[in-house]
Amino acid sequence: MKGDTGGDSYPLVWKAPLLGIDWGEARIGLAISDNSLRFSEPLGVIENRCSFVPPLRIPSKSGDALKRICTEKKIRGIIFGVPWYHLSGDPNPKSEIFVEYARLIRSLTGCPVFLWDEGLTSDVLKSERISGKRKYSRSPKRSRDPIDHYSATLILQSFLDECINGREDRI
């Protein structure tokens, strides 16, 4: 995969279930597809203490949890969120770090990994949560509940909507 940014080649046929990943330095958000590849649902959050400074490596606790989930859930492919661009439209220089982590995950799990634009899903969810809190609470205090699995759900669902359910040749 060196030098490219597309992940593994796009298969003509995807098989369920797929795992969506929202990768972060502190947490990994996970989502899973249903067997029809129409819907995604939150799966959970794994604590992650990785660095975005080379040399990049997946901590053993996070890696063991990912391998276990891929085996137990019989994952057939991974949709990995990458922040390709900033809100300004400028390329995100950190995207190469995410590409490298995707390579490491492919090597660790043995599953094909397809890179997908995460489209600032965490930021969207945070702003919705904060605005929702302010509407219903006197305190603008933010909840500390992790939202990473919801971000992973949005990443996976956008992939399913655009690449699987939007295909006209799908039976």
Side-chain angles (χ1 to χ4, degrees), residues 23 48 50-53 55-59 80 96-106:
W23 187 266
N48 192 34
C50 72
S51 172
F52 277 23
V53 177
L56 304 177
R57 68 174 195 74
I58 298 174
F80 189 88
E96 282 304 313
I97 292 168
F98 286 82
V99 171
E100 183 58 30
Y101 272 115
R103 286 184 188 121
L104 293 171
I105 288 170
R106 181 183 65 194

mmCIF file of all heavy atoms in Angstrom, residues 23 48 50-53 55-59 80 96-106:
data_model
loop_
_atom_site.group_PDB
_atom_site.id
_atom_site.type_symbol
_atom_site.label_atom_id
_atom_site.label_comp_id
_atom_site.label_asym_id
_atom_site.label_seq_id
_atom_site.Cartn_x
_atom_site.Cartn_y
_atom_site.Cartn_z
ATOM 1 N N TRP A 23 -10.645 5.888 14.208
ATOM 2 C CA TRP A 23 -9.389 5.750 14.928
ATOM 3 C C TRP A 23 -9.037 7.051 15.632
ATOM 4 O O TRP A 23 -9.149 8.123 15.047
ATOM 5 C CB TRP A 23 -8.273 5.395 13.941
ATOM 6 C CG TRP A 23 -6.988 5.064 14.616
ATOM 7 C CD1 TRP A 23 -5.957 5.921 14.881
ATOM 8 C CD2 TRP A 23 -6.606 3.795 15.132
ATOM 9 N NE1 TRP A 23 -4.958 5.250 15.527
ATOM 10 C CE2 TRP A 23 -5.332 3.941 15.702
ATOM 11 C CE3 TRP A 23 -7.221 2.546 15.174
ATOM 12 C CZ2 TRP A 23 -4.651 2.895 16.295
ATOM 13 C CZ3 TRP A 23 -6.550 1.502 15.765
ATOM 14 C CH2 TRP A 23 -5.284 1.680 16.314
ATOM 15 N N ASN A 48 -7.442 3.390 23.677
ATOM 16 C CA ASN A 48 -6.287 3.305 22.791
ATOM 17 C C ASN A 48 -5.273 4.349 23.230
ATOM 18 O O ASN A 48 -5.610 5.509 23.341
ATOM 19 C CB ASN A 48 -6.739 3.570 21.354
ATOM 20 C CG ASN A 48 -5.700 3.223 20.327
ATOM 21 O OD1 ASN A 48 -4.947 2.295 20.507
ATOM 22 N ND2 ASN A 48 -5.675 3.961 19.237
ATOM 23 N N CYS A 50 -2.257 5.306 21.642
ATOM 24 C CA CYS A 50 -1.258 5.280 20.576
ATOM 25 C C CYS A 50 -0.710 6.688 20.373
ATOM 26 O O CYS A 50 -1.237 7.660 20.899
ATOM 27 C CB CYS A 50 -1.863 4.747 19.284
ATOM 28 S SG CYS A 50 -3.006 5.883 18.484
ATOM 29 N N SER A 51 0.311 6.779 19.599
ATOM 30 C CA SER A 51 0.934 8.053 19.302
ATOM 31 C C SER A 51 0.744 8.364 17.821
ATOM 32 O O SER A 51 0.681 7.468 16.994
ATOM 33 C CB SER A 51 2.427 7.978 19.625
ATOM 34 O OG SER A 51 3.074 9.138 19.177
ATOM 35 N N PHE A 52 0.659 9.643 17.518
ATOM 36 C CA PHE A 52 0.608 10.058 16.127
ATOM 37 C C PHE A 52 1.992 10.510 15.667
ATOM 38 O O PHE A 52 2.129 11.156 14.652
ATOM 39 C CB PHE A 52 -0.427 11.160 15.936
ATOM 40 C CG PHE A 52 -1.836 10.638 15.774
ATOM 41 C CD1 PHE A 52 -2.217 9.396 16.245
ATOM 42 C CD2 PHE A 52 -2.794 11.401 15.142
ATOM 43 C CE1 PHE A 52 -3.513 8.922 16.095
ATOM 44 C CE2 PHE A 52 -4.095 10.937 14.984
ATOM 45 C CZ PHE A 52 -4.447 9.695 15.458
ATOM 46 N N VAL A 53 3.019 10.155 16.453
ATOM 47 C CA VAL A 53 4.396 10.478 16.115
ATOM 48 C C VAL A 53 5.112 9.165 15.792
ATOM 49 O O VAL A 53 5.057 8.221 16.579
ATOM 50 C CB VAL A 53 5.090 11.184 17.309
ATOM 51 C CG1 VAL A 53 6.557 11.462 16.995
ATOM 52 C CG2 VAL A 53 4.359 12.466 17.682
ATOM 53 N N PRO A 55 7.858 6.245 15.484
ATOM 54 C CA PRO A 55 7.300 5.086 14.776
ATOM 55 C C PRO A 55 5.915 4.739 15.307
ATOM 56 O O PRO A 55 5.677 4.736 16.517
ATOM 57 C CB PRO A 55 8.304 3.970 15.086
ATOM 58 C CG PRO A 55 8.878 4.344 16.409
ATOM 59 C CD PRO A 55 8.891 5.849 16.454
ATOM 60 N N LEU A 56 5.008 4.477 14.389
ATOM 61 C CA LEU A 56 3.628 4.177 14.757
ATOM 62 C C LEU A 56 3.494 2.702 15.090
ATOM 63 O O LEU A 56 4.047 1.850 14.415
ATOM 64 C CB LEU A 56 2.689 4.541 13.606
ATOM 65 C CG LEU A 56 2.759 5.992 13.115
ATOM 66 C CD1 LEU A 56 1.834 6.184 11.933
ATOM 67 C CD2 LEU A 56 2.437 6.966 14.230
ATOM 68 N N ARG A 57 2.742 2.420 16.135
ATOM 69 C CA ARG A 57 2.455 1.032 16.496
ATOM 70 C C ARG A 57 1.111 0.988 17.204
ATOM 71 O O ARG A 57 0.689 1.955 17.825
ATOM 72 C CB ARG A 57 3.549 0.435 17.357
ATOM 73 C CG ARG A 57 3.663 1.030 18.732
ATOM 74 C CD ARG A 57 4.687 0.285 19.578
ATOM 75 N NE ARG A 57 4.551 0.633 20.978
ATOM 76 C CZ ARG A 57 3.577 0.220 21.788
ATOM 77 N NH1 ARG A 57 2.643 -0.571 21.340
ATOM 78 N NH2 ARG A 57 3.537 0.599 23.047
ATOM 79 N N ILE A 58 0.453 -0.145 17.087
ATOM 80 C CA ILE A 58 -0.823 -0.353 17.771
ATOM 81 C C ILE A 58 -0.507 -0.959 19.134
ATOM 82 O O ILE A 58 0.152 -2.005 19.203
ATOM 83 C CB ILE A 58 -1.736 -1.287 16.958
ATOM 84 C CG1 ILE A 58 -2.061 -0.651 15.608
ATOM 85 C CG2 ILE A 58 -3.013 -1.598 17.742
ATOM 86 C CD1 ILE A 58 -2.838 -1.551 14.667
ATOM 87 N N PRO A 59 -0.948 -0.313 20.220
ATOM 88 C CA PRO A 59 -0.701 -0.888 21.545
ATOM 89 C C PRO A 59 -1.281 -2.300 21.644
ATOM 90 O O PRO A 59 -2.330 -2.594 21.063
ATOM 91 C CB PRO A 59 -1.421 0.074 22.498
ATOM 92 C CG PRO A 59 -1.532 1.352 21.729
ATOM 93 C CD PRO A 59 -1.664 0.953 20.288
ATOM 94 N N PHE A 80 -12.266 2.003 7.238
ATOM 95 C CA PHE A 80 -11.438 2.783 8.155
ATOM 96 C C PHE A 80 -11.547 4.263 7.816
ATOM 97 O O PHE A 80 -11.217 4.680 6.712
ATOM 98 C CB PHE A 80 -9.986 2.301 8.022
ATOM 99 C CG PHE A 80 -9.044 2.856 9.040
ATOM 100 C CD1 PHE A 80 -8.867 2.214 10.257
ATOM 101 C CD2 PHE A 80 -8.325 4.010 8.783
ATOM 102 C CE1 PHE A 80 -7.981 2.711 11.196
ATOM 103 C CE2 PHE A 80 -7.444 4.517 9.715
ATOM 104 C CZ PHE A 80 -7.273 3.869 10.929
ATOM 105 N N GLU A 96 -1.821 10.770 6.387
ATOM 106 C CA GLU A 96 -0.843 9.702 6.158
ATOM 107 C C GLU A 96 -0.639 8.844 7.406
ATOM 108 O O GLU A 96 -0.358 7.657 7.300
ATOM 109 C CB GLU A 96 0.491 10.274 5.681
ATOM 110 C CG GLU A 96 0.470 10.658 4.216
ATOM 111 C CD GLU A 96 0.073 9.496 3.299
ATOM 112 O OE1 GLU A 96 0.601 8.376 3.451
ATOM 113 O OE2 GLU A 96 -0.770 9.715 2.420
ATOM 114 N N ILE A 97 -0.805 9.443 8.580
ATOM 115 C CA ILE A 97 -0.705 8.683 9.826
ATOM 116 C C ILE A 97 -1.846 7.672 9.893
ATOM 117 O O ILE A 97 -1.655 6.516 10.267
ATOM 118 C CB ILE A 97 -0.718 9.637 11.041
ATOM 119 C CG1 ILE A 97 0.578 10.456 11.048
ATOM 120 C CG2 ILE A 97 -0.921 8.882 12.350
ATOM 121 C CD1 ILE A 97 0.576 11.625 12.012
ATOM 122 N N PHE A 98 -3.046 8.100 9.512
ATOM 123 C CA PHE A 98 -4.201 7.206 9.515
ATOM 124 C C PHE A 98 -4.027 6.087 8.500
ATOM 125 O O PHE A 98 -4.395 4.940 8.750
ATOM 126 C CB PHE A 98 -5.492 7.987 9.242
ATOM 127 C CG PHE A 98 -5.935 8.819 10.401
ATOM 128 C CD1 PHE A 98 -5.384 10.064 10.643
ATOM 129 C CD2 PHE A 98 -6.917 8.349 11.268
ATOM 130 C CE1 PHE A 98 -5.792 10.834 11.722
ATOM 131 C CE2 PHE A 98 -7.327 9.105 12.352
ATOM 132 C CZ PHE A 98 -6.760 10.350 12.586
ATOM 133 N N VAL A 99 -3.454 6.416 7.341
ATOM 134 C CA VAL A 99 -3.190 5.394 6.323
ATOM 135 C C VAL A 99 -2.236 4.343 6.877
ATOM 136 O O VAL A 99 -2.438 3.141 6.681
ATOM 137 C CB VAL A 99 -2.632 6.035 5.025
ATOM 138 C CG1 VAL A 99 -2.150 4.970 4.055
ATOM 139 C CG2 VAL A 99 -3.692 6.919 4.377
ATOM 140 N N GLU A 100 -1.218 4.784 7.598
ATOM 141 C CA GLU A 100 -0.274 3.829 8.188
ATOM 142 C C GLU A 100 -0.949 2.970 9.247
ATOM 143 O O GLU A 100 -0.721 1.762 9.313
ATOM 144 C CB GLU A 100 0.934 4.561 8.781
ATOM 145 C CG GLU A 100 1.983 3.634 9.355
ATOM 146 C CD GLU A 100 2.554 2.632 8.353
ATOM 147 O OE1 GLU A 100 2.613 2.931 7.139
ATOM 148 O OE2 GLU A 100 2.939 1.528 8.789
ATOM 149 N N TYR A 101 -1.813 3.564 10.075
ATOM 150 C CA TYR A 101 -2.535 2.752 11.062
ATOM 151 C C TYR A 101 -3.456 1.748 10.368
ATOM 152 O O TYR A 101 -3.616 0.621 10.826
ATOM 153 C CB TYR A 101 -3.295 3.620 12.069
ATOM 154 C CG TYR A 101 -2.440 4.009 13.250
ATOM 155 C CD1 TYR A 101 -2.111 5.333 13.482
ATOM 156 C CD2 TYR A 101 -1.937 3.046 14.117
ATOM 157 C CE1 TYR A 101 -1.309 5.689 14.560
ATOM 158 C CE2 TYR A 101 -1.132 3.392 15.188
ATOM 159 C CZ TYR A 101 -0.826 4.709 15.407
ATOM 160 O OH TYR A 101 -0.020 5.045 16.475
ATOM 161 N N ALA A 102 -4.037 2.129 9.253
ATOM 162 C CA ALA A 102 -4.879 1.189 8.491
ATOM 163 C C ALA A 102 -4.032 0.006 8.006
ATOM 164 O O ALA A 102 -4.480 -1.145 8.060
ATOM 165 C CB ALA A 102 -5.531 1.898 7.314
ATOM 166 N N ARG A 103 -2.823 0.280 7.553
ATOM 167 C CA ARG A 103 -1.913 -0.805 7.137
ATOM 168 C C ARG A 103 -1.627 -1.747 8.302
ATOM 169 O O ARG A 103 -1.620 -2.967 8.142
ATOM 170 C CB ARG A 103 -0.594 -0.228 6.640
ATOM 171 C CG ARG A 103 -0.660 0.414 5.302
ATOM 172 C CD ARG A 103 0.737 0.868 4.881
ATOM 173 N NE ARG A 103 0.639 1.659 3.684
ATOM 174 C CZ ARG A 103 1.048 2.921 3.575
ATOM 175 N NH1 ARG A 103 1.612 3.531 4.581
ATOM 176 N NH2 ARG A 103 0.910 3.565 2.449
ATOM 177 N N LEU A 104 -1.373 -1.162 9.462
ATOM 178 C CA LEU A 104 -1.082 -1.969 10.648
ATOM 179 C C LEU A 104 -2.286 -2.828 11.044
ATOM 180 O O LEU A 104 -2.131 -3.988 11.428
ATOM 181 C CB LEU A 104 -0.656 -1.067 11.813
ATOM 182 C CG LEU A 104 0.677 -0.344 11.652
ATOM 183 C CD1 LEU A 104 0.868 0.684 12.770
ATOM 184 C CD2 LEU A 104 1.833 -1.329 11.607
ATOM 185 N N ILE A 105 -3.482 -2.264 10.923
ATOM 186 C CA ILE A 105 -4.701 -3.013 11.258
ATOM 187 C C ILE A 105 -4.910 -4.159 10.275
ATOM 188 O O ILE A 105 -5.286 -5.265 10.664
ATOM 189 C CB ILE A 105 -5.921 -2.077 11.313
ATOM 190 C CG1 ILE A 105 -5.822 -1.215 12.570
ATOM 191 C CG2 ILE A 105 -7.234 -2.851 11.278
ATOM 192 C CD1 ILE A 105 -6.820 -0.107 12.634
ATOM 193 N N ARG A 106 -4.652 -3.911 9.000
ATOM 194 C CA ARG A 106 -4.773 -4.979 7.999
ATOM 195 C C ARG A 106 -3.809 -6.119 8.320
ATOM 196 O O ARG A 106 -4.173 -7.289 8.280
ATOM 197 C CB ARG A 106 -4.513 -4.454 6.594
ATOM 198 C CG ARG A 106 -4.653 -5.560 5.541
ATOM 199 C CD ARG A 106 -4.345 -5.101 4.163
ATOM 200 N NE ARG A 106 -2.945 -4.720 4.090
ATOM 201 C CZ ARG A 106 -2.404 -4.033 3.104
ATOM 202 N NH1 ARG A 106 -3.149 -3.643 2.097
ATOM 203 N NH2 ARG A 106 -1.146 -3.720 3.104
#
